[in-house]
Amino acid sequence: MPPNDTRRLLYVRARFGLRVERSSIGPTRRLALLEQLGESLASELPPGGIALVTGPSGAGKSVVTRAFSAAAGAVNATPVSASARRAPVNLIRGPIDDALGLLAACGLGEARRLITPAGFLSEGERARLSLARAIAHSRRGGAARDIACDEFTSTLDRLTARSVARCVRRAVGQRQRLVCATAHDDIAPHLDPDTVVHLPLVGPPQILQRGKRRADSAPASVA
């Protein structure tokens, strides 16, 4: 196969989230560098900050997110099951007014949705609910904990995904931090992250911060 065709196939696979197993360093070394990158996010992301970790399937997004979660003691946003029978208002602990405010901030303010069994909600509504639960959990006890979300909006249609991203940006508190990973980078303008980490299949990650590009840190040397 001609080299140009190889690059074009690689591009298409990366662009549409298809798995490509290709790396210029060994898997053990790459894993260590990705974990180091996640730990760096835990130490460097400012309070109230949001980091978006993006890249094609197999690039290591989940590794970075798990490393951040472990280093920061973060709450993980877990999906709400389609078989869940409790209503959203009963799945958010704490004072009722706080629960209603948080659900509204996450895009679940419509009255009927608040009392509908969670399993009857749409996939997009359950995604909003899972994030509302994680935020509520992270605020228990008065000390705001960080939040990690793998496969952020990955299964949603793109219009719903962008809507969820905007809701999350409004809902994250000033003392909390959020790191989310997805193969879809179209949500970036709507999530408005403080840091974007793009993990290519080949070469070092691209780390973008508000108004500048950072390429001088050791964890960024992932190949």
Side-chain angles (χ1 to χ4, degrees):
M1 180 178 294
N4 287 341
D5 286 349
T6 299
R7 287 195 294 271
R8 291 172 69 89
L9 287 173
L10 179 62
Y11 173 83
V12 170
R13 288 179 178 276
R15 177 67 179 80
F16 294 99
L18 302 177
R19 182 178 294 275
V20 179
E21 299 294 343
R22 180 175 175 182
S23 177
S24 60
I25 61 173
T28 301
R29 177 59 177 159
R30 182 176 176 85
L31 177 63
L33 291 171
L34 290 171
E35 290 175 343
Q36 186 182 357
L37 179 55
E39 293 165 0
S40 293
L41 283 175
S43 63
E44 297 175 12
L45 191 65
I50 293 179
L52 174 63
V53 182
T54 186
S57 178
K61 300 182 300 295
S62 296
V63 175
V64 173
T65 307
R66 286 195 299 267
F68 167 82
S69 180
V75 173
N76 293 296
T78 56
V80 175
S81 171
S83 63
R85 291 295 175 261
R86 298 183 67 191
V89 72
N90 288 329
L91 289 174
I92 306 296
R93 296 184 182 181
I96 182 63
D97 287 339
D98 292 347
L100 292 175
L102 179 56
L103 286 166
C106 288
L108 289 172
E110 199 273 320
R112 290 187 181 276
R113 294 291 180 263
L114 297 173
I115 61 174
T116 298
F120 294 165
L121 298 176
S122 69
E123 190 173 21
E125 288 167 338
R126 293 200 307 275
R128 294 182 176 96
L129 179 56
S130 70
L131 289 161
R133 292 181 66 191
I135 293 171
H137 187 187
S138 72
R139 294 175 179 174
R140 288 181 197 168
R145 294 170 59 190
D146 298 325
I147 304 166
C149 183
D150 198 8
E151 298 297 339
F152 179 71
T153 70
S154 292
T155 62
L156 305 181
D157 68 84
R158 304 324 302 153
L159 183 61
T160 301
R162 294 163 192 169
S163 175
V164 170
R166 288 192 293 270
C167 290
V168 169
R169 164 44 80 180
R170 293 194 297 267
V172 172
Q174 292 302 311
R175 295 181 298 160
Q176 295 172 290
R177 303 181 301 174
L178 168 67
V179 169
C180 47
T182 178
H184 302 282
D185 58 6
D186 60 322
I187 63 167
H190 309 276
L191 185 64
D192 191 22
D194 301 274
T195 301
V196 176
V197 179
H198 177 72
L199 300 176
L201 290 164
V202 180
Q206 300 169 354
I207 303 176
L208 307 177
Q209 295 179 325
R210 286 187 186 275
K212 64 178 181 178
R213 175 172 177 169
R214 189 191 69 189
D216 57 353
S217 62
S221 61
V222 181

